Amino acid sequence: MSSEPTETSVYIHFPWCTRKCPYCDFATEPIRSSALPHQEYADAVLRELEARRSDLKGRKLKSVFFGGGTPSLWGPHALGRTLRGIIGAFDDLDEALEVTVECNPSSLHQENAALLREAGVNRLSLGLQSLRDLHLRFLGRLHDSERALASLGDACKEMPRVSADLMFGMPGQTLEELAEDISRIAEIGVRHVSAYALTIEEKTQFGSLHRAGKLEVAPEDQYADLFEHVEDRFSDLGWTHYEVSNYAAEGEESRHNLHYWRGGAYLGLGAAAVGCLDQGQGRAERWRNDPNPQRYLRQSTLESEVEMLGPKEIVREALMLGLRTIDGMNVASTERRAGCDPKTGREREIERAIDQGKLLQVGDWLRVPQKHWLKLDGIVRDLF
Ligand code: SF4
C-alpha cells in the first residue's frame, strides 16, 4: 500500500422496512417496528467491523452511508454507537466527513432528525418518490403527501444537507406534476435530488402483475420525455445533472456516491452489504454479506460471496461507473488502480464512439455527453 492513506468509504446496510413496497427488489424484509433488534444489530455490525479491522490499516475514512431498507427505523442511539465504532476504526478521517442516513418520511420526525444530528450524521436522504397521494398510493408507500412535506421540513430544519428521491414514470403522471414537485422540494431547502424512472423488476409484486398483464408501464418515449423534462427543471434551478440519476445545487453532490462512481474503495457492513477493497495495484476483493438478517445477527457465516477482481474487471467497473458521471472516467487514476492502460485493447471502439459523438476525450477524462445518457448502457457495452 502507498504511503498516502487510501480514501475509503463505509456503507452500512439496514435490512428491514415496516412494509415491502410492490416495486422494490432491494435486500429488505418487512418487520413490525416493535420487533426491531436495534442494539443487537449494532452489536453484529460492530462485530463485523472488528473482524475486518486489519483491512483498514493505512486507510482514511472518506464518507459513511447508512442505506437499506429503512435505516430511519434504527434507534438513533444504536445507529450513533455504530457510527462511533466505525470512526474509531480508522487512523485518519476526511476533514469534511460526510455521514448520510437514508430515511422514509413515515419514520422521520424532527425529534429523530435532531438525535441523528447529535449522533454525528450531517446528511439525510429522504425516500420521498412523489408529492402526490395518487402516485404514493400506487407505489404502496406508507406516507402521503402531507407527511412527505412535513418530514422534508423537519429534515431541513435539523440537518445541514438534505437529499430527496423522486420517481417518475408512474401511470398518469404529468410533466406539470413533476415540475411542481421539483419546485416545492427546492423551495423547502433540499439541495440534492436522485430522480429514478420506475422500472419493473422481475421478482417483485409489480413484476408478477406486469407478467399477468395487469400493470401498464409508460412507453419508452414517455420515459425519455420525463427524463428530459426533469433535466430542464433542474437546469432552471441552476443545479448540475452530475450523474445519470442525480442533480445537485453547487457543492451539494453526494461525496459518498462520487467516491463510488470514481472507483474508490468501500467497506460494506451489515446483512446483504457489498464491499470492495483494493489489495494493491491491479487487485481488489469484492464481497457480499449473507442477505439473511437473522443469520447475519447470529453471524454463523460472515460472507456469502467473495470475488477477486483483476485489472480487466477493475477497468470495466471504472467504465461502467465513471461514464455515468458528468466528468466521466479518469484515465490516469484508472491506470493507477488497474495497473494497465484502460484504453489498451479497445482503441478502435473508443475511436468509433468518439467519431459518432457518443464519447469525448477531455484532457485525462473520457466522458459521454449528457444528450446520450439515455443510451448509456449500449455505449458502455460497446467499450467492453
Ligand atoms: S421503503 Fe425503500 S427499501 Fe423499503 S421496501 Fe420500500 S422502496 Fe424498498
Side-chain angles (χ1 to χ4, degrees):
M1 196 170 287
S2 66
S3 53
E4 276 290 291
T6 310
E7 292 194 327
T8 301
S9 290
V10 178
Y11 172 80
I12 308 95
H13 190 76
F14 188 79
W16 294 284
C17 295
T18 35
R19 190 165 76 195
K20 187 88 185 171
C21 301
Y23 58 89
C24 175
D25 74 342
F26 291 167
T28 73
E29 283 191 1
I31 193 170
R32 270 178 298 114
S33 301
S34 57
L36 277 164
H38 299 276
Q39 299 299 346
E40 293 86 340
Y41 196 61
D43 291 341
V45 170
L46 290 170
R47 261 201 315 271
E48 183 187 0
L49 176 71
E50 200 47 45
R52 299 194 186 279
R53 207 176 173 114
S54 58
D55 294 336
L56 304 181
K57 258 198 161 61
R59 294 184 182 273
K60 179 178 184 175
L61 182 59
K62 170 91 183 158
S63 61
V64 181
F65 195 100
F66 291 87
T70 309
S72 49
L73 293 172
W74 202 359
H77 295 295
L79 185 149
R81 185 160 70 86
T82 310
L83 177 59
R84 283 194 299 282
I86 291 166
I87 290 174
F90 284 80
D91 303 329
D92 202 358
L93 302 181
D94 193 293
E95 273 175 26
L97 182 70
E98 181 185 87
V99 181
T100 306
V101 176
E102 274 185 345
C103 301
N104 267 341
S106 52
S107 50
L108 199 266
H109 302 82
Q110 192 168 353
E111 194 192 347
N112 58 341
L115 289 171
L116 287 171
R117 177 84 182 115
E118 272 169 36
V121 175
N122 50 29
R123 187 171 180 271
L124 295 182
S125 172
L126 259 99
L128 206 70
Q129 315 313 347
S130 171
L131 289 177
R132 311 279 154 168
D133 288 340
L134 179 72
H135 303 316
L136 289 168
R137 273 200 301 275
F138 169 77
L139 293 172
R141 302 296 302 203
L142 288 168
H143 61 276
D144 58 13
S145 55
E146 201 180 317
R147 179 91 283 279
L149 288 166
S151 70
L152 270 183
D154 289 341
C156 290
K157 251 181 255 153
E158 297 296 337
M159 278 290 159
R161 301 173 68 207
V162 177
S163 173
D165 286 354
L166 270 186
M167 200 169 266
F168 58 89
M170 285 81 84
Q173 188 185 31
T174 66
L175 297 179
E176 290 72 25
E177 285 173 353
L178 201 48
E180 266 179 42
D181 283 4
I182 291 170
S183 306
R184 288 182 85 183
I185 290 169
E187 271 163 30
I188 294 173
V190 172
R191 292 285 171 269
H192 183 281
V193 167
S194 303
Y196 300 100
L198 170 66
T199 48
I200 304 295
E201 306 295 341
E202 217 182 299
K203 290 182 186 150
T204 61
Q205 203 183 325
F206 273 8
S208 315
L209 289 171
H210 188 53
R211 275 194 301 282
K214 293 180 182 157
L215 182 71
E216 292 276 324
V217 286
E220 214 168 289
D221 55 345
Q222 197 181 330
Y223 275 117
D225 280 353
L226 289 161
F227 185 85
E228 278 167 24
H229 189 69
V230 169
E231 186 168 62
D232 291 346
R233 297 293 68 77
F234 284 113
S235 154
D236 293 345
L237 291 170
W239 292 21
T240 308
H241 188 183
Y242 74 102
E243 191 266 351
V244 176
S245 305
N246 285 276
Y247 301 83
E250 199 184 339
E252 288 297 323
E253 294 84 358
S254 159
R255 290 169 212 152
H256 181 86
N257 286 340
L258 272 179
H259 176 77
Y260 170 70
W261 293 318
R262 287 175 180 162
Y266 57 100
L267 175 74
L269 298 171
V274 175
C276 188
L277 293 177
D278 50 294
Q279 301 205 327
Q281 204 175 40
R283 255 174 85 82
E285 184 185 274
R286 179 161 56 199
W287 71 91
R288 183 171 192 261
N289 283 347
D290 193 326
N292 181 296
Q294 286 71 36
R295 275 202 305 266
Y296 178 80
L297 279 168
R298 289 196 302 273
Q299 226 143 47
S300 46
T301 54
L302 192 58
E303 294 154 14
S304 55
E305 290 163 34
V306 181
E307 186 190 355
M308 289 311 297
L309 308 186
K312 197 169 96 188
E313 291 80 23
I314 293 172
V315 169
R316 284 183 165 182
E317 291 265 332
L319 285 166
M320 220 161 59
L321 298 173
L323 293 180
R324 296 183 62 85
T325 65
I326 191 164
D327 292 331
M329 183 197 81
N330 187 284
V331 176
S333 78
T334 305
E335 182 165 353
R336 272 196 303 280
R337 284 188 295 110
C340 64
D341 183 344
K343 295 198 281 186
T344 303
R346 49 176 63 82
E347 293 87 346
R348 278 226 311 273
E349 290 77 5
I350 289 176
E351 206 180 300
R352 192 179 320 127
I354 289 176
D355 286 347
Q356 293 170 342
K358 295 178 186 166
L359 194 66
L360 296 171
Q361 167 119 38
V362 186
D364 217 6
W365 297 82
L366 280 178
R367 71 176 178 88
V368 173
Q370 272 157 296
K371 65 176 178 195
H372 291 298
W373 278 4
L374 275 169
K375 304 271 181 225
L376 188 68
D377 289 350
I379 297 171
V380 172
R381 214 176 306 124
D382 289 347
L383 298 175
F384 268 29

